[in-house]
Amino acid sequence: MDVNLTQDLLGEETEADMGEWLVEDGATVAEGQVIGSIETSKLVNELVAPAAGVISLKKEAGDLVELDETLATID
């Protein structure tokens, strides 16, 4: 089952910039592992893997990310 990683904790912000990925597309990640970051005008938010599995990145560093948009999936 795929788990979608979305950005929904931006406070009043409705969009952000994809920061850096700390893992590569196709890598195996552990639940709770810090895998990247999202940057708003006010903060940098760490992205944590919600489940273990193989990650498929849907956004690249620097891409604009809107509220609830899928950043990656973990299978």
Side-chain angles (χ1 to χ4, degrees):
M1 179 177 86
D2 286 344
V3 175
N4 287 333
L5 177 64
T6 61
Q7 181 57 35
D8 57 358
L9 301 174
L10 297 175
E12 296 178 9
E13 303 277 344
T14 59
E15 61 185 25
D17 292 320
M18 184 66 219
E20 66 177 324
W21 286 110
L22 302 176
V23 296
E24 293 185 18
D25 191 48
T28 300
V29 298
E31 183 176 355
Q33 178 181 348
V34 176
I35 56 173
S37 64
I38 290 286
E39 300 175 5
T40 70
S41 61
K42 297 180 183 178
L43 60 92
V44 175
N45 189 29
E46 287 185 336
L47 297 173
V48 177
V54 176
I55 193 164
S56 176
L57 306 179
K58 305 298 182 190
K59 290 290 185 177
E60 295 182 18
D63 284 353
L64 182 65
V65 177
E66 296 188 19
L67 188 64
D68 294 328
E69 188 171 5
T70 299
L71 308 175
T73 58
I74 300 173
D75 184 28

